[in-house]
């Protein structure tokens, strides 16, 4: 029984009838780094090359990371857990995020596919240029993308490994409670900061209580 459940959690069912579209619904976890690390480096370089001091570049970079943490929280809470009531809404929810909750240990669907992440990144870059101006936008956007990469890889890590650090263990517990205790709480993945601020921290279980639904991560 336990083995069957573990297999179901790690299953990778087709999301689309078309093999072409279904192929792009899966992505190797190395892909986000391959796509976005050069963009992070390029954004920092462009800021300095256009006259920003190292200190200002660093501040904008940190601001971008901070903005990501809030973006991560609201994307997860409002978009990923949006359950539209119109015809086909259940199907849309399944494609956006429901498949992950049904099969949370599917290793090929734990990081965001480039077909989604690249258009979103382009949209956010445009917003950053409008808000910060073209020069300041680049290092801020680099920080934002660094925050996104941290989210993607922390998400993969807590599903497929048992963290060794105290903070890592806390993040894993935080996220597993979101999955297996109450999905209305615990929307932060790379940080519980905004859950604490917004009052959506997962509720701690009573001493000795254990959720039998929670899976064991691979080492």
């Amino acid at each position: 029984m336990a083995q069957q459940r573990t297999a179901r959690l790690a299953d990778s069912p087709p999301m689309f009838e078309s093999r072409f579209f279904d192929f792009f619904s899966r992505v190797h976890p190395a892909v986000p780094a391959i796509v976005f690390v050069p963009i992070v480096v390029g954004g920092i370089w462009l800021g300095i090359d256009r006259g920003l001091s190292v200190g200002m570049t660093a501040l904008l970079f940190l601001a971008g990371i901070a903005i990501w943490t809030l973006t991560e929280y609201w994307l997860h809470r409002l978009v990923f857990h949006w359950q539209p009531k119109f015809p086909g809404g259940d199907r849309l929810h399944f494609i956006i995020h429901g498949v992950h909750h049904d099969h949370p240990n599917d290793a090929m669907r734990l990081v965001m596919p480039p077909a989604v992440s690249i258009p979103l990144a382009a949209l956010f870059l445009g917003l950053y240029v409008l808000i910060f101006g073209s020069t300041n936008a680049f290092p801020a956007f680099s920080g934002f993308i660094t925050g996104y990469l941290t989210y993607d890889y922390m998400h993969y890590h807590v599903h497929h490994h048992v963290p060794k650090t105290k903070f890592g263990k806390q993040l894993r517990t935080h996220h597993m409670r979101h999955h297996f205790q109450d999905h209305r709480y615990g929307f932060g993945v790379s940080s519980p900061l905004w859950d604490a601020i917004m009052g959506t921290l997962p509720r701690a279980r009573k001493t000795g209580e254990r959720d039998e639904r929670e899976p064991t991560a691979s080492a």
Side-chain angles (χ1 to χ4, degrees):
M1 185 70 176
Q3 290 180 339
Q4 290 178 344
R5 181 176 177 278
T6 299
R8 182 182 65 79
L9 292 175
D11 195 15
S12 185
M15 290 177 61
F16 302 97
E17 292 183 5
S18 166
R19 291 186 179 181
F20 176 80
F21 287 116
D22 198 60
F23 172 82
F24 288 102
S25 75
R26 297 182 177 90
V27 57
H28 190 280
V31 169
I34 293 170
V35 172
F36 288 107
V37 167
I39 293 174
V40 171
V41 175
I44 294 170
W45 179 83
L46 280 171
I48 294 174
D49 185 64
R50 293 187 177 194
L52 292 177
S53 67
V54 172
M56 178 57 71
T57 300
L59 285 175
L60 288 166
F61 182 85
L62 292 174
I65 292 176
I67 293 170
W68 166 260
T69 63
L70 184 59
T71 304
E72 172 190 317
Y73 176 88
W74 284 114
L75 275 177
H76 192 179
R77 182 172 180 176
L78 297 183
V79 179
F80 293 177
H81 282 271
W82 174 48
Q83 294 183 293
K85 303 303 182 183
F86 53 75
D90 289 345
R91 172 67 175 160
L92 180 61
H93 171 70
F94 179 79
I95 291 171
I96 293 173
H97 197 58
V99 65
H100 174 57
H101 273 261
D102 287 350
H103 306 280
N105 292 340
D106 179 355
M108 299 299 282
R109 289 194 176 120
L110 276 172
V111 296
M112 196 176 291
V116 176
S117 62
I118 291 175
L120 279 176
L123 174 64
F124 277 108
L125 176 58
L127 289 173
Y128 270 57
V129 170
L130 288 174
I131 295 169
F132 291 100
S134 59
T135 298
N136 291 344
F138 293 118
F141 184 68
S142 290
F144 184 82
I145 294 298
T146 298
Y148 155 68
L149 289 174
T150 302
Y151 154 80
D152 247 358
Y153 287 113
M154 182 59 70
H155 192 209
Y156 186 89
H157 181 50
V158 298
H159 275 285
H160 281 279
H161 306 98
V162 177
K164 305 299 182 184
T165 66
K166 181 178 179 180
F167 182 65
K169 290 176 181 178
Q170 290 173 341
L171 284 181
R172 182 172 188 271
T173 297
H174 182 85
H175 192 57
M176 291 303 105
R177 286 176 177 170
H178 170 74
H179 270 281
F180 301 102
Q181 185 172 307
D182 192 336
H183 67 265
R184 298 171 301 173
Y185 298 88
F187 297 104
V189 175
S190 62
S191 167
L193 172 65
W194 292 104
D195 282 304
I197 293 172
M198 301 294 181
T200 53
L201 281 172
R203 298 169 184 174
R205 301 188 190 99
K206 296 178 182 179
T207 303
E209 182 183 354
R210 183 175 177 270
D211 191 336
E212 296 296 332
R213 296 173 298 170
E214 186 172 324
T216 301
S218 57

